Amino acid sequence: MNFTRWSARLPGTQRRAAARRTDRGISTAPPRPAQRGDGGRAEGSGSVPAARGDTAAGDPAAGDPATGEPATGEPPPEEGARDAARGRTGHGAGEPQPDPLPDAPALEDFPVREILASLPALVAVVYGPEHRIAYVNDAYTTAFGPRPIGNRAADSCPELAELGLHPLMDQVLRSGRQRTVKSRRSAAGGSYTVTCLPIEIPGAGSGVLVHAADVTDHAEAAERLRASERRQRETAVTLQRSLLPQELEQPDDLRIAATYQPGGEDAAVGGDWYDVITLGAGRTALVIGDVMGRGVRAAAVMGQLRTAVRAYARLDLPPHEVLQLLDGLAAEIDASQIATCVYAIHDPNEGHLVYASAGHLPILVRDEDGTVRRAADPTGPPLGTGGWLHSSGAIALPPGSSAVLYTDGLVERRGEDIDEGVASLERALSGATGAPQVVCDRLIRSQGVTADHDDDVAVLVVQHPSRTGPSAELFHNAALELLGGTEAAPRARAFASGVLASWRFSPELHDLGVLATSELVANSLQHGTPPMRLRLRRTDRRLIIEVTDGDDHLPRRRRAESEDEAGRGISIIATIASSWGSRRTPGGGKAVWCEFALPAG
């Protein structure tokens, strides 16, 4: 095929060149010959007669021949109006007039073959439904070698297949529209952004011009950037996971599971966290939170908050007091980052969750019949904002029910109100049964959370199982109101002895339990105020003895001197029990408790 002949007949080029000349006011007719009085200049040459003594007929400067009046140097009014309408500038007599613009070169005047050959981009021209090769430029030959003209591209240009261009060229032929693909990689390692344009080739019909720009450097730079971002993300994910509990504590009365899933590769890791903290006397703290930031910094702030929560939990404070302490600490850690958090405490003797929320989403509780309840206010502002007094609320958690604590990544979607997401989670929870980990997985799937999710997600599922049969025999409670002053001590010892015997403990554990009861009751009678109460609780793993009274002064262990008549009670309890502790109770007063671990099996 004569490519020079094809390039000189690109469709429409002559019509467009003529149109450009007409638009510029350039006549396409041949110039008329010079006439007398024109000073030897052809009309349309763009010059004016030279000044001389004789003036040309019709020259305004020669005056009006009919009237003999001298010329004024101004054109008649109607000519001035026409000049203005034509956009003339009103050059004075004798002033040089601007030359008209020369004809712009038409496209067929350009040496198209030479232009395409010198382009740094790769250019190939194929024609017909089999995409036979009509032309490849020098850059294409340098990159992939010479290509025989007339052969099918599928046979002679494997690089087009590597770049996935054959289907693209078919689309271009069918639709008559150009198509572009970005950063396709060839087997040789180069990356190209390719545009395929439809063309008409005289004598060959429809064809496609393939224009491939080498973007290898850009692609490699982008890949290095992506690799760096992946390493940073992996670092953040590793840090995040290392700061989360490696193994959840499992209280005697609850079954707990949790799941953390980082966002997809395009989403920076956030600061979601959860925790389960055993407080003693059968009580358990449940925590979930979300640092409102991304990356390593958010994960680091999360780790500091989680550590602080565990430290404050050891003080056995009410939930709102723990959040109050966290609020001040969050502002000190990083004033530019805030966090939401829910801190809840489960007490098996009370049968409900006492909680406080700092700007976090509500706890959901599913009853045994599938009814889902949402924890109501109080909810305070996020941690780190300061100036707010948090308060505690409560929601029932009877046997057979489950509670779900979660972060916003589970329910928040772009373009959707977050209440709709919470309502969707409620519907999913209503039908979610099975072990806690099974419920976790079902909730995540129901909300459409995948590996490519745009935010990280943390879910904590807490079940308070209903126990029947042999399992129920391992859990018992007994309580006695301590009335009557000093005579309450022997009555408490007798009550404890009878209860521990009925629970079939070993003689050694029976005696240790009675001794611990005696010391706790004596301490309460001496330092506390009514009302006083003794509570014994047995689980499958421990014996718990607890005494409450109306005085809020917490006891502490101290060294008693040999001549001291008192002060040994707490030391004795600390020596014989597995653990002990004290806390203030709601409404004033305190509780002092100790635990004995039961032998395994």
Side-chain angles (χ1 to χ4, degrees):
M1 176 177 293
N2 189 329
F3 182 72
T4 304
R5 178 171 56 85
W6 166 77
S7 64
R9 296 183 59 188
L10 290 173
T13 55
Q14 295 177 345
R15 293 194 300 274
R16 288 192 290 271
R20 282 197 298 272
R21 291 197 296 272
T22 302
D23 290 342
R24 293 174 179 172
I26 302 173
S27 174
T28 57
R32 65 176 176 83
Q35 298 178 4
R36 183 179 300 170
D38 289 341
R41 306 289 181 115
E43 182 180 324
S45 64
S47 62
V48 298
R52 59 180 180 268
D54 295 330
T55 58
D59 190 342
D64 188 340
T67 61
E69 294 180 1
T72 61
E74 298 290 337
E78 62 275 11
E79 291 188 15
R82 286 196 299 270
D83 288 349
R86 295 169 182 154
R88 295 180 179 174
T89 59
H91 291 279
E95 292 185 9
Q97 300 297 317
D99 292 338
L101 294 174
D103 286 354
L107 182 59
E108 59 267 23
D109 297 333
F110 289 96
V112 177
R113 184 185 185 95
E114 287 75 5
I115 292 175
L116 294 179
S118 63
L119 286 177
L122 282 62
V123 176
V125 176
V126 298
Y127 63 96
E130 293 184 329
H131 306 306
R132 293 186 177 276
I133 304 168
Y135 169 76
V136 292
N137 72 347
D138 294 345
Y140 195 105
T141 302
T142 301
F144 299 116
R147 295 295 180 253
I149 302 303
N151 283 15
R152 296 170 61 246
D155 300 329
S156 303
C157 300
E159 62 277 358
L160 298 182
E162 294 167 4
L163 297 172
L165 298 184
H166 287 297
L168 196 69
M169 293 189 295
D170 291 338
Q171 293 177 21
V172 171
L173 281 181
R174 288 194 303 266
S175 66
R177 297 181 179 179
Q178 73 176 45
R179 295 287 187 271
T180 299
V181 292
K182 296 182 178 180
S183 196
R184 292 284 179 92
R185 192 173 184 86
S186 70
S191 295
Y192 301 89
T193 291
V194 185
T195 299
C196 294
L197 303 98
I199 58 175
E200 289 294 327
I201 305 177
S206 298
V208 178
L209 186 147
V210 179
H211 179 279
D214 191 336
V215 294
T216 305
D217 291 343
H218 297 284
E220 291 177 351
E223 180 56 36
R224 288 193 296 270
L225 179 60
R226 285 192 293 267
S228 176
E229 291 174 346
R230 284 195 298 269
R231 288 192 296 270
Q232 292 180 10
R233 185 179 181 279
E234 290 168 0
T235 300
V237 170
T238 302
L239 175 62
Q240 174 90 346
R241 292 191 182 280
S242 69
L243 294 174
L244 291 173
Q246 302 305 300
E247 184 176 350
L248 288 178
E249 298 182 27
Q250 294 293 331
D252 299 353
D253 295 272
L254 302 174
R255 291 187 298 179
I256 301 177
T259 296
Y260 170 75
Q261 180 169 315
E265 291 188 2
D266 293 335
V269 176
D272 292 17
W273 92 92
Y274 55 83
D275 210 347
V276 178
I277 307 167
T278 300
L279 302 177
R283 302 166 73 249
T284 306
L286 309 167
V287 192
I288 196 161
D290 183 4
V291 176
M292 294 183 182
R294 296 295 176 93
V296 174
R297 181 58 183 165
V301 172
M302 176 275 289
Q304 295 178 77
L305 290 177
R306 177 176 175 258
T307 301
V309 169
R310 294 191 71 87
Y312 296 146
R314 300 304 177 194
L315 301 177
D316 214 339
L317 299 172
H320 64 276
E321 292 189 23
V322 171
L323 291 191
Q324 209 69 49
L325 293 171
L326 281 177
D327 185 34
L329 179 64
E332 294 177 7
I333 293 174
D334 190 339
S336 65
Q337 289 187 316
I338 59 178
T340 63
C341 180
V342 167
Y343 183 89
I345 295 176
H346 175 257
D347 189 333
N349 298 314
E350 304 296 335
H352 57 242
L353 284 176
V354 179
Y355 67 91
S357 174
H360 206 80
L361 294 166
I363 300 172
L364 301 181
V365 174
R366 180 190 184 276
D367 292 326
E368 198 166 15
D369 61 359
T371 302
V372 177
R373 294 175 283 117
R374 186 185 300 192
D377 291 336
T379 297
L383 304 174
T385 56
W388 184 267
L389 293 177
H390 293 271
S391 56
S392 295
I395 186 170
L397 190 68
S401 62
S402 302
V404 177
L405 291 77
Y406 51 98
T407 57
D408 58 3
L410 183 64
V411 296
E412 190 173 31
R413 300 292 180 271
R414 294 178 182 175
E416 181 179 293
D417 190 90
I418 196 169
D419 285 337
E420 296 178 11
V422 175
S424 173
L425 180 62
E426 288 178 330
R427 292 190 293 271
L429 178 59
S430 177
T433 58
Q437 190 60 57
V438 173
V439 174
C440 270
D441 296 340
R442 288 190 61 180
L443 294 180
I444 286 179
R445 287 196 304 270
S446 71
Q447 299 309 110
V449 177
T450 64
D452 296 326
H453 197 56
D454 60 359
D455 194 6
D456 47 353
V457 175
V459 183
L460 182 65
V461 174
V462 181
Q463 292 183 346
H464 186 188
S466 290
R467 293 182 172 88
T468 57
S471 175
E473 291 299 317
L474 299 177
F475 291 80
H476 294 284
N477 285 281
L480 174 68
E481 299 295 331
L482 300 177
L483 305 172
T486 56
E487 63 271 20
R491 190 164 59 249
R493 285 193 293 270
F495 174 79
S497 178
V499 169
L500 297 178
S502 69
W503 290 348
R504 299 178 182 179
F505 286 137
S506 65
E508 180 182 4
L509 184 56
H510 174 278
D511 294 343
L512 290 175
V514 171
L515 176 59
T517 299
S518 178
E519 294 297 334
L520 288 177
V521 170
N523 182 78
S524 182
L525 291 173
Q526 182 175 1
H527 302 288
T529 58
M532 301 179 183
R533 191 182 192 195
L534 168 66
R535 178 182 287 147
L536 303 177
R537 176 170 175 76
R538 182 239 165 92
T539 72
D540 58 343
R541 287 182 277 179
R542 71 197 77 235
L543 166 66
I544 302 167
I545 304 172
E546 182 179 74
V547 175
T548 60
D549 63 56
D551 185 83
D552 61 2
H553 178 73
L554 299 180
R556 59 185 180 87
R557 183 178 181 181
R558 62 186 180 88
R559 180 184 298 276
E561 301 298 334
S562 56
E563 62 273 12
D564 291 340
E565 298 181 359
R568 295 182 175 85
I570 297 299
S571 294
I572 292 174
I573 291 171
T575 300
I576 64 175
S578 303
S579 61
W580 75 280
S582 61
R583 70 178 188 279
R584 291 187 173 88
T585 55
K590 67 176 179 293
V592 185
W593 55 269
C594 66
E595 294 180 350
F596 293 89
L598 303 183

